[in-house]
Short mmCIF file of all heavy atoms in Angstrom, two decimals:
data_model
loop_
_atom_site.label_atom_id
_atom_site.label_comp_id
_atom_site.label_asym_id
_atom_site.label_seq_id
_atom_site.Cartn_x
_atom_site.Cartn_y
_atom_site.Cartn_z
N MET A 1 10.71 -70.91 162.04
CA MET A 1 11.13 -72.27 162.28
C MET A 1 10.25 -73.27 161.53
O MET A 1 10.61 -74.42 161.39
CB MET A 1 11.08 -72.53 163.79
CG MET A 1 11.88 -73.68 164.21
SD MET A 1 13.60 -73.34 163.90
CE MET A 1 14.25 -74.93 164.12
N SER A 2 9.10 -72.84 161.06
CA SER A 2 8.23 -73.78 160.36
C SER A 2 8.57 -73.89 158.87
O SER A 2 8.13 -74.85 158.23
CB SER A 2 6.77 -73.37 160.52
OG SER A 2 6.54 -72.11 159.95
N ILE A 3 9.35 -72.97 158.35
CA ILE A 3 9.70 -73.02 156.92
C ILE A 3 10.47 -74.28 156.55
O ILE A 3 10.15 -74.91 155.53
CB ILE A 3 10.44 -71.73 156.49
CG1 ILE A 3 9.47 -70.55 156.59
CG2 ILE A 3 10.99 -71.85 155.09
CD1 ILE A 3 10.10 -69.21 156.32
N PRO A 4 11.48 -74.70 157.33
CA PRO A 4 12.15 -75.96 156.97
C PRO A 4 11.21 -77.17 156.96
O PRO A 4 11.31 -78.03 156.08
CB PRO A 4 13.22 -76.12 158.05
CG PRO A 4 13.49 -74.76 158.54
CD PRO A 4 12.18 -74.04 158.44
N LEU A 5 10.27 -77.22 157.90
CA LEU A 5 9.33 -78.34 157.92
C LEU A 5 8.39 -78.30 156.72
O LEU A 5 8.03 -79.34 156.17
CB LEU A 5 8.53 -78.35 159.22
CG LEU A 5 7.60 -79.54 159.42
CD1 LEU A 5 8.36 -80.85 159.35
CD2 LEU A 5 6.86 -79.43 160.74
N ILE A 6 7.99 -77.11 156.31
CA ILE A 6 7.15 -76.97 155.11
C ILE A 6 7.89 -77.52 153.89
O ILE A 6 7.32 -78.27 153.09
CB ILE A 6 6.73 -75.51 154.90
CG1 ILE A 6 5.76 -75.08 156.01
CG2 ILE A 6 6.10 -75.30 153.53
CD1 ILE A 6 5.45 -73.60 156.04
N ILE A 7 9.15 -77.16 153.75
CA ILE A 7 9.95 -77.64 152.62
C ILE A 7 10.10 -79.16 152.69
O ILE A 7 9.93 -79.86 151.68
CB ILE A 7 11.32 -76.94 152.60
CG1 ILE A 7 11.14 -75.46 152.32
CG2 ILE A 7 12.25 -77.59 151.58
CD1 ILE A 7 12.39 -74.63 152.54
N ILE A 8 10.40 -79.68 153.88
CA ILE A 8 10.54 -81.13 154.04
C ILE A 8 9.25 -81.86 153.67
O ILE A 8 9.29 -82.90 153.00
CB ILE A 8 10.96 -81.47 155.49
CG1 ILE A 8 12.40 -81.04 155.72
CG2 ILE A 8 10.79 -82.95 155.79
CD1 ILE A 8 12.84 -81.07 157.17
N MET A 9 8.11 -81.33 154.07
CA MET A 9 6.84 -82.00 153.79
C MET A 9 6.51 -81.96 152.31
O MET A 9 5.98 -82.94 151.76
CB MET A 9 5.72 -81.39 154.63
CG MET A 9 5.86 -81.65 156.12
SD MET A 9 6.35 -83.32 156.57
CE MET A 9 5.03 -84.28 155.89
N PHE A 10 6.80 -80.85 151.63
CA PHE A 10 6.59 -80.80 150.18
C PHE A 10 7.45 -81.84 149.47
O PHE A 10 6.98 -82.55 148.58
CB PHE A 10 6.90 -79.40 149.62
CG PHE A 10 5.73 -78.47 149.65
CD1 PHE A 10 5.86 -77.22 150.24
CD2 PHE A 10 4.51 -78.80 149.09
CE1 PHE A 10 4.80 -76.34 150.28
CE2 PHE A 10 3.45 -77.93 149.11
CZ PHE A 10 3.59 -76.69 149.71
N VAL A 11 8.71 -81.95 149.87
CA VAL A 11 9.61 -82.93 149.26
C VAL A 11 9.14 -84.35 149.58
O VAL A 11 9.14 -85.23 148.71
CB VAL A 11 11.06 -82.70 149.72
CG1 VAL A 11 11.96 -83.84 149.28
CG2 VAL A 11 11.57 -81.38 149.19
N ALA A 12 8.71 -84.59 150.82
CA ALA A 12 8.25 -85.93 151.21
C ALA A 12 7.01 -86.34 150.41
O ALA A 12 6.93 -87.47 149.93
CB ALA A 12 7.94 -85.96 152.70
N ILE A 13 6.06 -85.43 150.26
CA ILE A 13 4.86 -85.76 149.48
C ILE A 13 5.22 -86.01 148.02
O ILE A 13 4.75 -86.97 147.41
CB ILE A 13 3.81 -84.64 149.63
CG1 ILE A 13 3.25 -84.62 151.05
CG2 ILE A 13 2.68 -84.82 148.62
CD1 ILE A 13 2.37 -83.42 151.37
N ALA A 14 6.07 -85.16 147.46
CA ALA A 14 6.43 -85.29 146.05
C ALA A 14 7.21 -86.58 145.76
O ALA A 14 6.99 -87.23 144.74
CB ALA A 14 7.24 -84.08 145.60
N THR A 15 8.10 -86.96 146.66
CA THR A 15 8.95 -88.11 146.37
C THR A 15 8.32 -89.45 146.75
O THR A 15 8.55 -90.44 146.06
CB THR A 15 10.31 -87.99 147.08
OG1 THR A 15 10.09 -87.85 148.48
CG2 THR A 15 11.09 -86.80 146.57
N THR A 16 7.55 -89.48 147.81
CA THR A 16 7.01 -90.77 148.25
C THR A 16 5.62 -91.06 147.72
O THR A 16 5.25 -92.22 147.62
CB THR A 16 6.98 -90.86 149.79
OG1 THR A 16 6.11 -89.85 150.30
CG2 THR A 16 8.36 -90.69 150.37
N LYS A 17 4.86 -90.05 147.40
CA LYS A 17 3.48 -90.29 146.99
C LYS A 17 3.26 -90.22 145.49
O LYS A 17 2.20 -90.59 145.00
CB LYS A 17 2.54 -89.29 147.68
CG LYS A 17 2.62 -89.31 149.19
CD LYS A 17 2.40 -90.68 149.78
CE LYS A 17 2.45 -90.61 151.28
NZ LYS A 17 3.11 -91.72 151.91
N SER A 18 4.25 -89.77 144.72
CA SER A 18 4.08 -89.72 143.27
C SER A 18 3.94 -91.11 142.67
O SER A 18 3.19 -91.31 141.71
CB SER A 18 5.24 -88.96 142.62
OG SER A 18 6.46 -89.59 142.91
N GLU A 19 4.66 -92.09 143.23
CA GLU A 19 4.56 -93.47 142.77
C GLU A 19 3.16 -94.04 143.03
O GLU A 19 2.57 -94.71 142.18
CB GLU A 19 5.59 -94.32 143.51
CG GLU A 19 6.33 -95.28 142.63
CD GLU A 19 7.40 -95.99 143.43
OE1 GLU A 19 7.07 -97.04 144.01
OE2 GLU A 19 8.53 -95.49 143.46
N VAL A 20 2.64 -93.77 144.22
CA VAL A 20 1.30 -94.24 144.57
C VAL A 20 0.27 -93.59 143.67
O VAL A 20 -0.67 -94.24 143.21
CB VAL A 20 0.99 -93.94 146.06
CG1 VAL A 20 -0.43 -94.33 146.41
CG2 VAL A 20 1.98 -94.65 146.96
N LEU A 21 0.44 -92.31 143.38
CA LEU A 21 -0.49 -91.60 142.49
C LEU A 21 -0.50 -92.23 141.09
O LEU A 21 -1.56 -92.45 140.51
CB LEU A 21 -0.11 -90.12 142.41
CG LEU A 21 -0.94 -89.25 141.48
CD1 LEU A 21 -2.38 -89.19 141.95
CD2 LEU A 21 -0.36 -87.85 141.40
N ALA A 22 0.67 -92.56 140.59
CA ALA A 22 0.76 -93.13 139.24
C ALA A 22 0.21 -94.55 139.18
O ALA A 22 -0.43 -94.93 138.20
CB ALA A 22 2.21 -93.12 138.78
N GLU A 23 0.42 -95.34 140.25
CA GLU A 23 0.03 -96.74 140.22
C GLU A 23 -1.40 -97.00 140.69
O GLU A 23 -2.11 -97.82 140.14
CB GLU A 23 1.00 -97.57 141.05
CG GLU A 23 2.38 -97.65 140.46
CD GLU A 23 3.35 -98.39 141.35
OE1 GLU A 23 2.91 -98.96 142.38
OE2 GLU A 23 4.55 -98.38 141.04
N LYS A 24 -1.81 -96.30 141.77
CA LYS A 24 -3.09 -96.64 142.40
C LYS A 24 -4.14 -95.55 142.32
O LYS A 24 -5.28 -95.78 142.67
CB LYS A 24 -2.86 -97.00 143.86
CG LYS A 24 -1.99 -98.22 144.02
CD LYS A 24 -1.83 -98.62 145.46
CE LYS A 24 -0.97 -99.86 145.57
NZ LYS A 24 -0.76 -100.27 146.94
N GLY A 25 -3.78 -94.34 141.91
CA GLY A 25 -4.75 -93.29 141.73
C GLY A 25 -4.72 -92.23 142.82
O GLY A 25 -4.04 -92.32 143.82
N PHE A 26 -5.54 -91.20 142.57
CA PHE A 26 -5.56 -90.00 143.41
C PHE A 26 -6.02 -90.29 144.83
O PHE A 26 -5.40 -89.85 145.80
CB PHE A 26 -6.47 -88.95 142.77
CG PHE A 26 -6.63 -87.71 143.60
CD1 PHE A 26 -5.63 -86.77 143.66
CD2 PHE A 26 -7.79 -87.50 144.32
CE1 PHE A 26 -5.77 -85.63 144.43
CE2 PHE A 26 -7.95 -86.36 145.09
CZ PHE A 26 -6.93 -85.42 145.14
N TRP A 27 -7.12 -91.02 144.99
CA TRP A 27 -7.69 -91.21 146.33
C TRP A 27 -6.81 -92.10 147.21
O TRP A 27 -6.72 -91.87 148.42
CB TRP A 27 -9.11 -91.76 146.25
CG TRP A 27 -10.04 -90.74 145.68
CD1 TRP A 27 -10.69 -90.79 144.49
CD2 TRP A 27 -10.39 -89.48 146.27
NE1 TRP A 27 -11.41 -89.64 144.29
CE2 TRP A 27 -11.26 -88.83 145.38
CE3 TRP A 27 -10.05 -88.83 147.46
CZ2 TRP A 27 -11.79 -87.58 145.64
CZ3 TRP A 27 -10.59 -87.58 147.71
CH2 TRP A 27 -11.44 -86.97 146.81
N GLU A 28 -6.15 -93.05 146.62
CA GLU A 28 -5.21 -93.88 147.40
C GLU A 28 -4.02 -93.04 147.86
O GLU A 28 -3.53 -93.19 148.98
CB GLU A 28 -4.75 -95.07 146.57
CG GLU A 28 -3.90 -96.05 147.31
CD GLU A 28 -4.65 -96.82 148.38
OE1 GLU A 28 -5.87 -97.04 148.22
OE2 GLU A 28 -4.02 -97.22 149.38
N MET A 29 -3.56 -92.14 146.98
CA MET A 29 -2.46 -91.26 147.34
C MET A 29 -2.88 -90.31 148.46
O MET A 29 -2.14 -90.10 149.42
CB MET A 29 -2.00 -90.45 146.13
CG MET A 29 -0.79 -89.56 146.36
SD MET A 29 -1.09 -87.85 146.87
CE MET A 29 -2.09 -87.21 145.58
N MET A 30 -4.08 -89.76 148.38
CA MET A 30 -4.56 -88.86 149.42
C MET A 30 -4.74 -89.59 150.75
O MET A 30 -4.43 -89.04 151.80
CB MET A 30 -5.87 -88.19 149.00
CG MET A 30 -5.71 -87.20 147.87
SD MET A 30 -4.55 -85.86 148.27
CE MET A 30 -5.49 -84.96 149.47
N HIS A 31 -5.23 -90.81 150.69
CA HIS A 31 -5.40 -91.59 151.92
C HIS A 31 -4.05 -91.89 152.56
O HIS A 31 -3.90 -91.80 153.77
CB HIS A 31 -6.15 -92.88 151.61
CG HIS A 31 -6.33 -93.76 152.81
ND1 HIS A 31 -7.21 -93.46 153.81
CD2 HIS A 31 -5.72 -94.91 153.17
CE1 HIS A 31 -7.13 -94.40 154.75
NE2 HIS A 31 -6.23 -95.29 154.38
N GLY A 32 -3.07 -92.21 151.77
CA GLY A 32 -1.75 -92.55 152.29
C GLY A 32 -0.96 -91.35 152.78
O GLY A 32 -0.02 -91.50 153.56
N SER A 33 -1.33 -90.16 152.34
CA SER A 33 -0.56 -88.98 152.72
C SER A 33 -1.31 -88.06 153.68
O SER A 33 -0.95 -86.90 153.81
CB SER A 33 -0.16 -88.21 151.46
OG SER A 33 -1.31 -87.73 150.80
N ARG A 34 -2.29 -88.57 154.38
CA ARG A 34 -3.08 -87.70 155.25
C ARG A 34 -2.25 -87.13 156.40
O ARG A 34 -2.45 -85.98 156.77
CB ARG A 34 -4.32 -88.42 155.77
CG ARG A 34 -4.05 -89.64 156.61
CD ARG A 34 -5.34 -90.42 156.88
NE ARG A 34 -5.09 -91.56 157.72
CZ ARG A 34 -4.74 -92.76 157.29
NH1 ARG A 34 -4.61 -92.95 156.00
NH2 ARG A 34 -4.54 -93.75 158.13
N THR A 35 -1.31 -87.88 156.94
CA THR A 35 -0.44 -87.35 157.99
C THR A 35 0.49 -86.28 157.42
O THR A 35 0.73 -85.26 158.07
CB THR A 35 0.39 -88.48 158.62
OG1 THR A 35 -0.50 -89.49 159.09
CG2 THR A 35 1.24 -87.98 159.75
N ASP A 36 1.00 -86.51 156.22
CA ASP A 36 1.87 -85.52 155.58
C ASP A 36 1.12 -84.20 155.36
O ASP A 36 1.66 -83.13 155.63
CB ASP A 36 2.37 -86.05 154.23
CG ASP A 36 3.17 -87.33 154.35
OD1 ASP A 36 3.70 -87.59 155.44
OD2 ASP A 36 3.24 -88.07 153.35
N TRP A 37 -0.12 -84.29 154.89
CA TRP A 37 -0.91 -83.08 154.66
C TRP A 37 -1.23 -82.37 155.97
O TRP A 37 -1.22 -81.14 156.03
CB TRP A 37 -2.20 -83.40 153.91
CG TRP A 37 -1.97 -83.66 152.46
CD1 TRP A 37 -1.99 -84.86 151.83
CD2 TRP A 37 -1.63 -82.70 151.46
NE1 TRP A 37 -1.69 -84.70 150.49
CE2 TRP A 37 -1.47 -83.39 150.25
CE3 TRP A 37 -1.45 -81.32 151.48
CZ2 TRP A 37 -1.14 -82.74 149.06
CZ3 TRP A 37 -1.12 -80.67 150.29
CH2 TRP A 37 -0.96 -81.38 149.10
N ALA A 38 -1.51 -83.14 157.02
CA ALA A 38 -1.80 -82.52 158.32
C ALA A 38 -0.58 -81.76 158.83
O ALA A 38 -0.70 -80.64 159.34
CB ALA A 38 -2.23 -83.59 159.32
N MET A 39 0.60 -82.36 158.71
CA MET A 39 1.82 -81.67 159.14
C MET A 39 2.10 -80.44 158.29
O MET A 39 2.51 -79.40 158.81
CB MET A 39 3.00 -82.63 159.09
CG MET A 39 2.97 -83.69 160.15
SD MET A 39 4.33 -84.85 160.05
CE MET A 39 5.70 -83.79 160.40
N LEU A 40 1.87 -80.56 156.99
CA LEU A 40 2.11 -79.43 156.09
C LEU A 40 1.17 -78.27 156.41
O LEU A 40 1.60 -77.13 156.55
CB LEU A 40 1.94 -79.88 154.64
CG LEU A 40 2.06 -78.79 153.58
CD1 LEU A 40 3.47 -78.22 153.57
CD2 LEU A 40 1.70 -79.33 152.22
N LEU A 41 -0.12 -78.56 156.53
CA LEU A 41 -1.08 -77.50 156.79
C LEU A 41 -0.91 -76.90 158.19
O LEU A 41 -1.08 -75.70 158.38
CB LEU A 41 -2.50 -78.02 156.59
CG LEU A 41 -2.84 -78.41 155.15
CD1 LEU A 41 -4.23 -79.01 155.07
CD2 LEU A 41 -2.71 -77.21 154.22
N GLY A 42 -0.54 -77.73 159.16
CA GLY A 42 -0.26 -77.21 160.50
C GLY A 42 0.95 -76.29 160.49
O GLY A 42 0.95 -75.26 161.18
N SER A 43 1.96 -76.63 159.74
CA SER A 43 3.15 -75.78 159.65
C SER A 43 2.84 -74.46 158.94
O SER A 43 3.35 -73.41 159.33
CB SER A 43 4.26 -76.51 158.90
OG SER A 43 4.65 -77.64 159.61
N ILE A 44 2.02 -74.52 157.91
CA ILE A 44 1.62 -73.29 157.22
C ILE A 44 0.82 -72.40 158.16
O ILE A 44 1.00 -71.17 158.19
CB ILE A 44 0.84 -73.62 155.93
CG1 ILE A 44 1.79 -74.26 154.91
CG2 ILE A 44 0.18 -72.38 155.36
CD1 ILE A 44 1.10 -74.81 153.68
N PHE A 45 -0.06 -73.00 158.95
CA PHE A 45 -0.83 -72.23 159.93
C PHE A 45 0.09 -71.54 160.93
O PHE A 45 -0.07 -70.35 161.23
CB PHE A 45 -1.82 -73.15 160.66
CG PHE A 45 -2.54 -72.46 161.78
CD1 PHE A 45 -3.63 -71.64 161.50
CD2 PHE A 45 -2.14 -72.62 163.08
CE1 PHE A 45 -4.29 -71.00 162.52
CE2 PHE A 45 -2.79 -71.99 164.11
CZ PHE A 45 -3.88 -71.17 163.83
N LEU A 46 1.08 -72.27 161.44
CA LEU A 46 2.02 -71.68 162.39
C LEU A 46 2.86 -70.58 161.75
O LEU A 46 3.22 -69.60 162.40
CB LEU A 46 2.92 -72.75 163.00
CG LEU A 46 2.25 -73.65 164.02
CD1 LEU A 46 3.22 -74.73 164.47
CD2 LEU A 46 1.75 -72.85 165.20
N LEU A 47 3.18 -70.74 160.49
CA LEU A 47 3.93 -69.71 159.78
C LEU A 47 3.11 -68.43 159.69
O LEU A 47 3.64 -67.33 159.88
CB LEU A 47 4.31 -70.20 158.38
CG LEU A 47 5.09 -69.22 157.51
CD1 LEU A 47 6.47 -68.98 158.10
CD2 LEU A 47 5.19 -69.74 156.10
N ILE A 48 1.82 -68.57 159.43
CA ILE A 48 0.96 -67.40 159.26
C ILE A 48 0.56 -66.78 160.60
O ILE A 48 0.68 -65.57 160.80
CB ILE A 48 -0.30 -67.78 158.45
CG1 ILE A 48 0.09 -68.17 157.02
CG2 ILE A 48 -1.31 -66.64 158.43
CD1 ILE A 48 -1.01 -68.81 156.23
N LYS A 49 0.09 -67.60 161.53
CA LYS A 49 -0.47 -67.09 162.79
C LYS A 49 0.54 -67.01 163.92
O LYS A 49 0.35 -66.24 164.86
CB LYS A 49 -1.64 -67.97 163.24
CG LYS A 49 -2.86 -67.91 162.35
CD LYS A 49 -3.50 -66.57 162.40
CE LYS A 49 -4.27 -66.41 163.69
NZ LYS A 49 -4.98 -65.16 163.82
N GLY A 50 1.55 -67.85 163.92
CA GLY A 50 2.50 -67.87 165.02
C GLY A 50 2.01 -68.74 166.16
O GLY A 50 0.91 -69.29 166.12
N GLY A 51 2.81 -68.85 167.20
CA GLY A 51 2.50 -69.72 168.32
C GLY A 51 1.51 -69.13 169.31
O GLY A 51 0.89 -69.84 170.08
N GLY A 52 1.38 -67.82 169.33
CA GLY A 52 0.45 -67.19 170.25
C GLY A 52 0.91 -67.22 171.69
O GLY A 52 2.11 -67.31 171.98
N CYS A 53 -0.04 -67.18 172.60
CA CYS A 53 0.30 -67.11 174.03
C CYS A 53 0.89 -68.42 174.55
O CYS A 53 1.46 -68.44 175.64
CB CYS A 53 -0.92 -66.71 174.84
SG CYS A 53 -2.25 -67.91 174.80
N TRP A 54 0.78 -69.50 173.83
CA TRP A 54 1.32 -70.79 174.27
C TRP A 54 2.76 -71.01 173.81
O TRP A 54 3.36 -72.03 174.14
CB TRP A 54 0.45 -71.93 173.76
CG TRP A 54 -0.90 -71.93 174.39
CD1 TRP A 54 -2.04 -71.39 173.86
CD2 TRP A 54 -1.25 -72.45 175.66
NE1 TRP A 54 -3.07 -71.55 174.73
CE2 TRP A 54 -2.63 -72.21 175.85
CE3 TRP A 54 -0.55 -73.10 176.66
CZ2 TRP A 54 -3.29 -72.58 176.99
CZ3 TRP A 54 -1.22 -73.48 177.80
CH2 TRP A 54 -2.57 -73.23 177.95
N SER A 55 3.30 -70.08 173.04
CA SER A 55 4.66 -70.28 172.52
C SER A 55 5.71 -69.94 173.57
O SER A 55 5.46 -69.19 174.52
CB SER A 55 4.89 -69.40 171.28
OG SER A 55 4.97 -68.05 171.66
N ILE A 56 6.89 -70.47 173.39
CA ILE A 56 8.00 -70.17 174.30
C ILE A 56 8.44 -68.73 174.13
O ILE A 56 8.87 -68.08 175.08
CB ILE A 56 9.17 -71.16 174.05
CG1 ILE A 56 8.72 -72.57 174.46
CG2 ILE A 56 10.41 -70.75 174.81
CD1 ILE A 56 9.73 -73.64 174.20
N ASP A 57 8.28 -68.18 172.93
CA ASP A 57 8.63 -66.77 172.70
C ASP A 57 7.81 -65.83 173.58
O ASP A 57 8.30 -64.77 173.97
CB ASP A 57 8.40 -66.40 171.24
CG ASP A 57 9.37 -67.09 170.31
OD1 ASP A 57 10.42 -67.54 170.80
OD2 ASP A 57 9.08 -67.18 169.11
N SER A 58 6.58 -66.21 173.87
CA SER A 58 5.74 -65.32 174.67
C SER A 58 6.21 -65.26 176.12
O SER A 58 5.88 -64.33 176.84
CB SER A 58 4.28 -65.78 174.62
OG SER A 58 4.11 -67.00 175.30
N LEU A 59 6.99 -66.24 176.56
CA LEU A 59 7.49 -66.22 177.94
C LEU A 59 8.48 -65.07 178.16
O LEU A 59 8.63 -64.58 179.28
CB LEU A 59 8.15 -67.55 178.29
CG LEU A 59 7.23 -68.76 178.33
CD1 LEU A 59 8.05 -70.02 178.60
CD2 LEU A 59 6.16 -68.60 179.39
N THR A 60 9.16 -64.66 177.11
CA THR A 60 10.12 -63.57 177.25
C THR A 60 9.42 -62.22 177.36
O THR A 60 10.03 -61.24 177.77
CB THR A 60 11.08 -63.55 176.05
OG1 THR A 60 10.33 -63.37 174.85
CG2 THR A 60 11.87 -64.82 175.98
N ASN A 61 8.15 -62.13 177.01
CA ASN A 61 7.41 -60.87 177.04
C ASN A 61 6.63 -60.67 178.33
O ASN A 61 5.89 -59.72 178.46
CB ASN A 61 6.47 -60.78 175.85
CG ASN A 61 7.23 -60.77 174.54
OD1 ASN A 61 8.34 -60.29 174.47
ND2 ASN A 61 6.62 -61.29 173.50
N ILE A 62 6.75 -61.59 179.26
CA ILE A 62 6.00 -61.49 180.52
C ILE A 62 6.69 -60.45 181.41
O ILE A 62 7.88 -60.56 181.68
CB ILE A 62 5.94 -62.84 181.25
CG1 ILE A 62 5.17 -63.85 180.40
CG2 ILE A 62 5.31 -62.70 182.62
CD1 ILE A 62 5.18 -65.25 180.97
N PRO A 63 5.96 -59.43 181.86
CA PRO A 63 6.57 -58.46 182.76
C PRO A 63 6.88 -59.07 184.11
O PRO A 63 6.14 -59.89 184.63
CB PRO A 63 5.51 -57.36 182.89
CG PRO A 63 4.24 -57.96 182.39
CD PRO A 63 4.59 -59.14 181.53
N LYS A 64 8.01 -58.68 184.70
CA LYS A 64 8.43 -59.24 185.97
C LYS A 64 8.19 -58.29 187.11
O LYS A 64 8.14 -57.14 187.02
CB LYS A 64 9.90 -59.63 185.92
CG LYS A 64 10.10 -60.75 184.93
CD LYS A 64 11.57 -61.15 184.89
CE LYS A 64 11.72 -62.28 183.89
NZ LYS A 64 13.04 -62.76 183.76
#
């Protein structure tokens, strides 16, 4: 489920921050996209590690 969000965040960074990079420079672009990067890296982490014991999927594995 995190793959669509990863794709969305890559597209969002590429389309909205490329103008800022060209006009104001690298550090202004990085400052303006810190939320985008946090969402992207968080989604990549979830893709690799999964939700763990706090995920809704783990509720189905609880013995009754």
Side-chain angles (χ1 to χ4, degrees):
M1 200 65 193
S2 63
I3 293 175
L5 185 57
I6 291 171
I7 294 169
I8 289 169
M9 293 317 300
F10 272 127
V11 171
I13 291 171
T15 57
T16 62
K17 303 306 182 219
S18 60
E19 223 176 89
V20 176
L21 178 63
E23 292 176 7
K24 297 183 179 179
F26 176 77
W27 291 113
E28 185 69 29
M29 184 268 303
M30 291 301 290
H31 178 73
S33 64
R34 62 189 182 272
T35 304
D36 300 337
W37 284 105
M39 289 178 65
L40 176 65
L41 294 176
S43 297
I44 291 171
F45 174 80
L46 286 176
L47 179 67
I48 295 169
K49 293 293 284 182
C53 65
W54 293 97
S55 71
I56 293 176
D57 292 340
S58 69
L59 294 177
T60 59
N61 297 330
I62 296 174
K64 295 181 180 180

